[in-house]
Amino acid sequence: MSHTTIPARVALVTGASGGIGGAIAERLAADGMAVVAHYSSRAAGAEEVVDRITAQGGRALALGGDVADEDAMTSLFQTAIDTFGGVDVVINAAGIMPLAPVAETDLEVLDRVLRTNVRGTFVIDQLAARHLRRGGALVNVSTSITRLQTPTYGAYAASKGAVEALTLVLARELRGRDITVNTVAPGPTATPLFFEGKTKQMVEGITALSPMERLGRPEDIAEVAAFLAGPGRWVNGQTIHANGGAA
């Protein structure tokens, strides 16, 4: 670890046990940030992300907890502050995506989606608003489904519409603190969550939506998140659709 007069920036990434969140955690570490990689249930995945970061000479820590539980997340933020000295970047990548037509959606499943995707985002955003240092950045993660409006995604699209609505409100509330608040809205991205329950034919059909003729990669989304977390200081209160032109 180098001893410089400028302390390293510190990033807290929720849902960092793999997929998009894991790629973002690794990308921010490559930019020199110390990273807290949060996981909900997949501790092994988060530990693998941390191992890859530390193998490259970075600093990282895996911590678990339910994003919708304010006490657990308060503890998470405090551990980040105690370990690394503060928090400069928060990336909200935790989320769940059970699919069903609206007419057939189990309302208990809806409650679970809203708890994780809406309440969880709100809890993390609230803590970020309280703890981010000047010059900080908050990046929520939505989905291009809010534009594509694909059947069976009703509960998920509704939850992410709420995430996008929260972003500009919070950006305005943080006036005067030099903190940006944005949302990145990925299109179809090749992660385990995306492939779950889809046939080869379905995957091919979704891939064809993009004029780039491929699925997004987690690294594609991480690149946008890193821009918003670092040099993109004049982008604020926005939803950036990173989907290769699919929507």
Side-chain angles (χ1 to χ4, degrees):
M1 186 180 129
S2 63
H3 295 279
T4 59
T5 53
I6 303 168
R9 296 179 86 212
V10 179
L12 191 159
V13 183
T14 70
S17 60
I20 289 170
I24 291 172
E26 292 185 52
R27 179 66 176 76
L28 296 182
D31 281 349
M33 297 190 200
V35 176
V36 174
H38 158 272
Y39 63 89
S40 174
S41 56
R42 294 184 58 244
E47 292 290 357
E48 285 170 16
V49 169
V50 166
D51 288 346
R52 286 195 291 273
I53 290 170
T54 54
Q56 297 293 320
R59 294 187 299 156
L61 173 69
L63 293 173
D66 174 3
V67 284
D69 180 335
E70 66 273 27
D71 294 331
M73 292 303 100
T74 297
S75 172
L76 184 89
F77 269 76
Q78 195 56 54
T79 302
I81 291 163
D82 292 344
T83 305
F84 296 125
V87 179
D88 302 284
V89 172
V90 173
I91 312 281
N92 241 327
I96 59 172
M97 191 177 69
L99 305 181
V102 170
E104 297 162 27
T105 297
D106 184 322
L107 293 179
E108 287 186 7
V109 172
L110 173 66
D111 287 343
R112 199 157 54 84
V113 171
L114 296 178
R115 186 174 196 282
T116 298
N117 296 1
V118 181
R119 181 189 164 102
T121 296
F122 200 99
V123 166
I124 296 296
D125 281 11
Q126 184 177 72
L127 288 163
R130 292 172 181 170
H131 294 292
L132 278 171
R133 294 189 283 207
R134 285 192 72 82
L138 168 61
V139 181
N140 290 319
V141 177
S142 179
T143 171
S144 288
I145 288 294
T146 54
R147 277 189 181 177
L148 288 163
Q149 298 159 342
T150 310
T152 74
Y153 284 82
Y156 184 66
S159 73
K160 293 302 192 175
V163 170
E164 292 180 16
L166 181 59
T167 292
L168 181 53
V169 171
L170 187 54
R172 287 172 169 162
E173 288 179 353
L174 297 184
R175 170 186 289 273
R177 288 180 51 190
D178 191 25
I179 293 169
T180 60
V181 185
N182 291 290
T183 298
V184 59
T189 306
T191 65
L193 183 67
F194 169 79
F195 288 115
E196 205 173 282
K198 291 185 177 74
T199 64
K200 185 171 182 283
Q201 191 176 10
M202 286 168 73
V203 170
E204 286 172 355
I206 293 168
T207 302
L209 288 172
S210 169
M212 308 296 281
E213 297 187 326
R214 67 171 175 86
L215 292 172
R217 292 183 286 262
E219 295 75 20
D220 294 323
I221 312 307
E223 198 66 38
V224 179
F227 169 74
L228 294 172
R233 299 305 299 167
W234 198 235
V235 181
N236 193 20
Q238 305 302 310
T239 295
I240 308 297
H241 288 82
N243 58 35

